[in-house]
Amino acid sequence: MLKKLYKKSEVWFAVVFIIAYVIGDSFLMQASDNAGIEMIYTIPYNLLLLGIMFVFMGKNQLLGYYGINRVKCEANRLLYYVPLIVIATVNIWFGVCFKMSLLATAVYFVAMIITGIVEEMLFRGLLFKAMSKSNVRSAIIVTSITFGIGHIVNLVNGNSADYVETICQIFYAVAIGFLLAAVLYVGESIIPCIITHSMLNALSSFSNETVIDNIQIPVSVILCVISAASAVLIFRNANREQ
């Protein structure tokens, strides 16, 4: 069934997985909150999605096609990954604190790592590759925007009751998505994207929200500027070399 859908349309193949992820994760986040341990039920569900994707890719020899390989770029281009380190650590810029019990923190940390992997495989993996076959520029724009807008689901699942916070998330997620697409385009590997996204998510387990909540707009602006400027430089250098 999956193979038939894939052969018929890679874009719809990606969209089906994205819909399954958004609906399933939203429902299971609510269930996890009701159980008293945030995101505990999203872990097995997202592992299942990853399992289905990787089994399909492995059977059809598509791992390399989707960027599951080593970075393919010259040593001097590794400087492109410096902004990723900055982005990945933003949640501990203003200190570290423990907001939950040890068990809840461990569950949340693991869940957020898995979420980062799933979202990268969906947006920078399945959807980007499907769209880039016809138009790379459209693939970059669409995957970045949809990745950002996807964070509006936080208002639905109760993960963020703050409208300002969610709007900030949408804007900087679009910018970060733009940067990750640039890194994927140049390095031909999704691994740096997965590492950056997973660590950005996971380190939110220890973020000092008392400080961040008071300066979330300036921090969001900084993230947008760093991400967008870095992505533009990467694409400009790549196009110049070509």
Side-chain angles (χ1 to χ4, degrees):
M1 181 179 176
L2 284 178
K3 194 167 185 178
K4 287 182 179 179
L5 177 60
Y6 177 82
K7 287 185 175 181
K8 185 176 182 180
S9 172
E10 287 186 38
V11 172
W12 277 107
F13 180 80
V15 169
V16 167
F17 271 99
I18 291 172
I19 291 173
Y21 166 71
V22 171
I23 294 176
D25 235 44
S26 297
F27 174 78
L28 291 171
M29 279 186 182
Q30 293 279 6
S32 298
D33 288 343
N34 294 336
I37 301 180
E38 194 172 354
M39 298 187 77
I40 191 168
Y41 293 139
T42 67
I43 294 176
Y45 180 72
N46 287 335
L47 285 175
L48 175 62
L49 283 180
L50 283 175
I52 294 172
M53 280 190 279
F54 280 112
V55 168
F56 177 82
M57 292 175 190
K59 282 186 175 180
N60 294 280
Q61 299 180 330
L62 294 170
L63 291 173
Y65 176 74
Y66 284 112
I68 310 297
N69 47 244
R70 296 176 62 182
V71 174
K72 299 177 182 178
C73 68
E74 299 173 3
N76 63 338
R77 286 188 176 181
L78 293 178
L79 291 174
Y80 292 158
Y81 298 114
V82 172
L84 299 186
I85 298 173
V86 176
I87 299 298
T89 58
V90 63
N91 283 310
I92 56 174
W93 284 359
F94 307 100
V96 174
C97 66
F98 290 87
K99 302 164 287 189
M100 301 174 281
S101 67
L102 182 60
L103 174 61
T105 300
V107 169
Y108 187 85
F109 187 86
V110 172
M112 292 304 279
I113 288 178
I114 297 171
T115 296
I117 299 172
V118 172
E119 290 184 352
E120 286 308 306
M121 290 304 303
L122 292 176
F123 290 96
R124 248 70 60 187
L126 301 184
L127 186 59
F128 180 86
K129 195 64 180 180
M131 295 193 66
S132 65
K133 292 179 71 174
S134 57
N135 192 312
V136 173
R137 182 175 295 180
S138 296
I140 292 167
I141 293 172
V142 171
T143 56
S144 300
I145 291 176
T146 53
F147 174 64
I149 292 177
H151 287 74
I152 202 170
V153 75
N154 288 335
L155 293 176
V156 178
N157 61 36
N159 202 37
S160 174
D162 188 341
Y163 287 92
V164 174
E165 179 184 350
T166 300
I167 292 171
C168 288
Q169 283 181 347
I170 291 171
F171 276 99
Y172 68 67
V174 170
I176 291 173
F178 188 36
L179 172 58
L180 294 178
V183 168
L184 172 63
Y185 176 72
V186 171
E188 300 181 51
S189 173
I190 200 173
I191 303 301
C193 303
I194 288 175
I195 294 173
T196 302
H197 193 162
S198 296
M199 292 313 300
L200 172 63
N201 283 359
L203 290 177
S204 67
S205 309
F206 311 107
S207 62
N208 190 340
E209 292 182 359
T210 302
V211 176
I212 292 178
D213 286 347
N214 293 326
I215 57 173
Q216 58 185 326
I217 294 179
V219 170
S220 299
V221 171
I222 291 172
L223 286 175
C224 288
V225 170
I226 291 174
S227 301
S230 300
V232 169
L233 288 173
I234 291 172
F235 282 123
R236 182 175 296 174
N237 289 337
N239 291 333
R240 187 177 299 161
E241 291 173 9
Q242 289 177 357

